[in-house]
Amino acid sequence: MRVSEWVPGIQVVTTYEKKWLPRDLIAGIVLTTLLVPQGMAYAELAGLPPITGLYTSILCLLAYFVFGPSKVLVLGPDSSLGPMIAAVVVPMVMAGGDQEKAVALASVLALLVGIFMTVAAVAKLGFVADLLSHPTQLGYVNGLAVTILIGQLPKLFGFSTEGDGLFDDVKGFVTGLGDTVPAALAIGAGGLAVILVLQKFLPKVPAILVAVVGAIAAVTIWDLDVAVVGPLPQGFPPLTIPLVSLDEFGILAAAAVGITLVSVTDTISTASTFAERNGQEVRGNQEMAGIGAANLAAGLFQGFPVSTSGSRTAVAFAAGAKTQVTGLVGAAAITLMLLFVPGLLKDMPQPMLAAVVIAASFGLADIKGMVRLWRQRRMEFMLALAAFVGVAVVGVLPGIAVAVALSVLNVFRRVWWPYRAVLGKPAGVDGYHDLQQYPDGAQLPGLVMFRFDAPLIFANARTFREEIRHLAQDGTRWILVAAEPITDVDTTAADMLEELDEELNAKGISLVFAEMKNPVKQKIDRYGLTRTIDPAHFYPTLDDAVAAYERSHG
């Protein structure tokens, strides 16, 4: 494998065209106006100092330039990961705890996510993103949106609360309303309104930048008594190896698994969306390598876990970004600000950061998607609802486990209780079809055609047997299994088939198969099932089997 396949940045440098530079420069500058306030806001969402959001943004953009395969994806602090990071870090440092300790914990978390991502990329485990089905993702992000919204409301109103879970946060917010700071609420609510209105009616205007500049101007001009970010540290943090205890490492490792899964799923879905627009193909394993490198880089420079950002990617794409040089421009612009004008954002109000996060939570929520599931498939709506409740009630990290478990159980349910059908031949329609759809379909006396729409394995062997027993009525001579949907037969199912065939033979009924795939037929032969099932009772098509039945029974 060529080095450039695992280090796409080499190809970007060697094939870069000068005509792309103006568009990448403009897109990078536009992107920076979003990277700075969102990076700071999402750092606070994760329970960390705002400056760490800028460190993280710089390092992940640089690393993804070197190792990321997509031309336009933008990585950085993400609203969906913030609550997950906070759920781990905040309890470990306790309320009002040591910020340096919090940064160290978050950095180790980023390093672990980077290691897991890199190992998964090398092992070609991109399919793990499939562990979160769309309904469970939908429920998860809606639960996350509610959790973020409720958690940020106190800051928007100018006070703070301490709570453990959604209900505690709601109670703390309601009881703390008497401590509302009018100036903070005016800044926060006003900034939120500006963001939402501009995003709705003037999407090309940088809504967050306008709101942030307005909030800073209001605090400066009227000297409002509102909590502000304060001066940022000048310069750049040195290479740092964060240290934690063994017990803390275990907790962080478990959390990193959940964050890795969410980050992979989010990245693959976002990459697929923009790859279609660019005519590119998604390289899932290389995407994981790129995100892994970004997390490793962030973790070594006082950063925290990152993922792909759909909103920032959309901004870069709309601004005309051609390559990852856009990200380099953004990283350079943030670095220059920290080196030469670190006090530029010292008067940014804390309620304004809350407004940025709340606006992001509105973008996460997908109520229409839930309504569509309710109309289209109630079972999948219930899965989405269960994932929502898991995140909102149990917690963000346990909610990930709930969402994954629900996705896996849903797959298992479909295999356990697959669709089954008795077939007939409708007049005027070619082939044999489900009698529930064509109740007038013709059936030959003594012949029952049965279709089982799943691989035949240990989980559904009993279901298959009971269905066949139910069909084995008086007068039945053949039970013909339309085996085309049966993609596998395991040893448990093979033992069941052997016992079932002997049971049916004792009643004078033959178990017959048609359209069985060759790999499955080879397994049947290897299991020795043809000792009991007549080898002549395997037919290439249903028509052949029906013709044989007619010849033998008239």
Side-chain angles (χ1 to χ4, degrees):
M1 180 179 290
R2 294 179 302 174
V3 175
S4 61
E5 291 187 21
W6 283 103
V7 189
I10 295 175
Q11 188 175 6
V12 174
V13 173
T14 57
T15 62
Y16 195 80
E17 298 182 19
K18 292 181 179 180
K19 64 181 180 180
W20 295 342
L21 185 58
R23 301 187 71 175
D24 281 340
L25 284 172
I26 293 172
I29 294 170
V30 172
L31 183 62
T32 304
T33 65
L34 192 61
L35 289 172
V36 173
Q38 278 195 344
M40 297 173 70
Y42 295 163
E44 290 222 331
L45 177 62
L48 301 167
I51 186 64
T52 59
L54 301 184
Y55 296 157
T56 302
S57 297
I58 295 170
L59 268 302
C60 73
L61 290 172
L62 293 175
Y64 191 81
F65 171 82
V66 178
F67 294 100
S70 173
K71 292 182 178 180
V72 295
L73 283 189
V74 178
L75 269 64
D78 189 63
S79 58
S80 62
L81 298 188
M84 300 176 68
I85 299 168
V88 183
V89 171
V90 173
M92 294 175 74
V93 299
M94 304 303 290
D98 184 359
Q99 288 288 284
E100 290 186 5
K101 177 69 171 178
V103 171
L105 292 170
S107 296
V108 172
L109 193 57
L111 291 174
L112 288 170
V113 171
I115 292 170
F116 292 161
M117 284 281 192
T118 304
V119 170
V122 173
K124 302 185 184 302
L125 299 179
F127 65 87
V128 297
D130 298 333
L131 290 177
L132 281 174
S133 66
H134 177 68
T136 50
Q137 285 183 57
L138 194 60
Y140 170 77
V141 297
N142 279 307
L144 203 60
V146 172
T147 301
I148 292 172
L149 173 63
I150 300 299
Q152 292 295 307
L153 282 178
K155 188 184 296 184
L156 191 76
F157 281 67
F159 61 90
S160 61
T161 62
E162 293 182 10
D164 183 17
L166 182 66
F167 296 120
D168 283 348
D169 287 343
V170 172
K171 181 180 178 181
F173 171 67
V174 173
T175 56
L177 284 174
D179 297 326
T180 298
V181 178
L185 179 58
I187 289 289
L192 179 60
V194 168
I195 293 172
L196 296 178
V197 169
L198 289 180
Q199 287 179 343
K200 176 71 173 178
F201 299 104
L202 296 172
K204 292 186 178 181
V205 174
I208 293 178
L209 177 64
V210 171
V212 166
V213 171
I216 293 175
V219 169
T220 304
I221 294 171
W222 291 300
D223 193 24
L224 299 177
D225 185 17
V226 178
V228 295
V229 170
L232 298 177
Q234 186 171 20
F236 205 71
L239 176 67
T240 306
I241 306 298
L243 300 176
V244 296
S245 69
L246 189 59
D247 290 340
E248 291 170 337
F249 184 85
I251 296 173
L252 293 171
V257 173
I259 292 175
T260 299
L261 179 59
V262 171
S263 184
V264 169
T265 304
D266 188 34
T267 296
I268 297 299
S269 60
T270 304
S272 299
T273 300
F274 286 94
E276 290 177 3
R277 301 182 188 182
N278 275 342
Q280 293 180 275
E281 291 185 2
V282 177
R283 296 163 55 190
N285 293 313
Q286 184 57 45
E287 285 292 356
M288 288 194 295
I291 304 170
N295 278 282
L296 289 171
L300 292 173
F301 288 88
Q302 300 181 21
F304 52 88
V306 299
S307 179
T308 300
S309 169
S311 61
R312 291 190 286 274
T313 300
V315 168
F317 184 81
K322 300 297 292 183
T323 69
Q324 283 297 329
V325 170
T326 296
L328 284 184
V329 173
I334 299 173
T335 302
L336 291 174
M337 184 192 77
L338 293 178
L339 290 174
F340 300 108
V341 283
L344 184 65
L345 300 174
K346 65 183 178 63
D347 291 326
M348 181 187 293
Q350 293 282 1
M352 188 62 243
L353 293 180
V356 171
V357 174
I358 291 174
S361 74
F362 290 157
L364 276 177
D366 188 357
I367 306 303
K368 291 182 179 179
M370 294 290 284
V371 172
R372 185 175 63 253
L373 280 183
W374 172 259
R375 293 174 177 171
Q376 293 177 347
R377 190 160 183 170
R378 297 291 171 85
M379 177 56 72
E380 295 198 348
F381 172 82
M382 297 306 296
L383 286 173
L385 187 62
F388 171 86
V389 173
V391 173
V393 177
V394 180
V396 176
L397 285 171
I400 287 291
V402 170
V404 171
L406 288 173
S407 295
V408 173
L409 286 174
N410 189 37
V411 172
F412 190 72
R413 177 189 65 82
R414 293 177 180 178
V415 175
W416 195 355
W417 295 303
Y419 187 78
R420 290 92 71 190
V422 175
L423 308 181
K425 190 173 181 60
V429 181
D430 291 336
Y432 301 89
H433 301 276
D434 187 351
L435 289 178
Q436 290 191 7
Q437 184 178 4
Y438 296 96
D440 296 331
Q443 295 178 276
L444 290 177
L447 174 64
V448 177
M449 283 186 280
F450 174 67
R451 194 183 71 217
F452 191 78
D453 293 351
L456 194 53
I457 59 174
F458 70 95
N460 57 31
R462 182 176 179 275
T463 301
F464 181 90
R465 182 185 62 197
E466 295 307 314
E467 287 286 339
I468 296 296
R469 284 176 173 173
H470 177 72
L471 296 173
Q473 303 296 325
D474 291 340
T476 301
R477 296 178 178 180
W478 273 23
I479 296 179
L480 173 58
V481 178
E484 196 274 336
I486 300 177
T487 56
D488 191 19
V489 175
D490 70 3
T491 55
T492 302
D495 292 341
M496 177 275 297
L497 287 175
E498 184 173 9
E499 295 171 1
L500 180 62
D501 185 62
E502 291 175 347
E503 178 184 322
L504 293 174
N505 288 341
K507 296 180 179 180
I509 301 173
S510 297
L511 186 61
V512 183
F513 296 87
E515 300 181 342
M516 180 172 285
K517 292 178 170 62
N518 191 54
V520 180
K521 179 62 167 59
Q522 290 175 349
K523 291 181 180 179
I524 293 289
D525 293 337
R526 190 161 63 247
Y527 297 152
L529 280 179
T530 48
R531 293 192 312 269
T532 56
I533 302 176
D534 189 342
H537 284 171
F538 291 87
Y539 294 92
T541 68
L542 288 171
D543 285 333
D544 290 332
V546 171
Y549 177 79
E550 289 178 325
R551 287 194 300 270
S552 61
H553 295 87

